[in-house]
Amino acid sequence: MSRNMISMSDLIGILDDISPEMNSEEWDNGGFLVGRSDKSIGKIMIALEPALSVIDEAIAFGADLLLVHHPVIFAPLSSVTSESLRGEKVLRLAENSIALYAAHTSFDTAIGGNNDYLIELLGLPKSQDIAGGIGRTAELAEPRSVKDFAKFIAERLDIPASEMRISSPDITGKLHKIAVCTGAGGDIIDEAISEGCDCLITGDMRYHAALDAVERDFTVIDAGHFGTEKIFSDNMMKKLMSALTHKGYNVSSDEGICIKLAESEHSPFAPIL
C-alpha cells in the first residue's frame, strides 16, 4: 500500500501502541467499533464525541475514519435503525463508509494521555499514577489559593470561569498537592486523600460526593466533563501524526494521510446569562 494511505488494521496497531486497549476499564467499550479492518484510510477526523454534528462534519470532509474519545456504543445494540440516536449514528457512519475508533479509558490511563496532558497544560511537574492509573497526582511548585488556582485552570483549558464549580472548605485556602482525573473522577477522592492531596480537578461531580469532600476538608474543582476532556483531540492528533511519521507514512494536508480536528463540537451546556 502507498505510504499516502494506511490500512485500518495497521492503524489499529498504531492506535493500540498510543493507548493500549488492554488497559481499558472493564465496563468500557473502546477500540474499533464501526467499519472494515481492510479499509484504506487517507482522511482522519478527530473529535471528543461522535455527535451527529461531528459525523456530518466528517462526511463533508470525506473522512475515512472518525477517531473519538467517547464510544458511540456502550450497551449491546438489539437493532441498528434510525429509530434510536445510536442507531442513526452508526447508520450515518456505515452508509458513508466512515470507520469509527474510540480511544476512551485506554487513553485516560495511557502515558501522555488525557491526565498526563492536563498535568502538562497546568505546567506541573512530572506526576504519579493514582487509582490504578485512571488519575494522576502532582505537587504545586508553590502553594496557591483555591480561587486563584481555579481561575488559572479555566485559562489553561480555555473555558469560561463561570462554568467552573468549586467545592471547598475554604475558597481562600492554600493548595499544595493536587490530583487530576479528566471526565468524571469523583470516585477517586479516597485515593487522592490517601496520597496526601488536598484538591481534585475533575468534572461531573455529584452533589453528595462534593458535600462529603468538603466535610473531609478536601477541595474539588469541577471544570466539567467537556472542559477537562476536550484536550483529547489536540493531544491525540499530535501523537498520531508523530507515530505515522515515525512509521514512514506521508502525513500531509495536500497529499498523503490528512488529519483534521472537528470544529463543530461544543459543550452541551450553555450559561443562561
Side-chain angles (χ1 to χ4, degrees), residues 73-96:
I73 303 170
F74 267 116
L77 291 173
S78 57
S79 63
V80 180
T81 72
S82 60
E83 300 304 307
S84 71
L85 179 60
R86 287 188 298 162
E88 175 64 26
K89 290 180 179 181
V90 172
L91 284 174
R92 287 195 198 183
L93 290 165
E95 289 170 350
N96 289 278

Side-chain angles (χ1 to χ4, degrees), residues 122-125 138-146 148-149 152 173-178 198:
L122 296 179
L124 297 177
E139 295 190 23
L140 303 183
E142 58 183 36
R144 301 185 68 167
S145 74
V146 175
D148 175 64
F149 194 52
F152 172 70
K174 298 294 185 180
L175 300 177
H176 300 82
K177 185 177 182 180
I178 60 100
D198 43 32

Side-chain angles (χ1 to χ4, degrees), residues 6 15 33 44 46 55 118 127 135 139 146 163 212 215 224 243 271:
I6 183 173
L15 290 170
L33 300 179
I44 302 171
I46 301 179
I55 293 174
L118 177 53
S127 59
E139 295 190 23
V146 175
E163 293 185 8
D212 290 348
E215 293 185 331

Side-chain angles (χ1 to χ4, degrees), residues 217-230:
D217 199 30
F218 187 79
T219 294
V220 176
I221 298 178
D222 185 337
H225 202 120
F226 179 81
T228 58
E229 290 202 323
K230 67 187 180 114

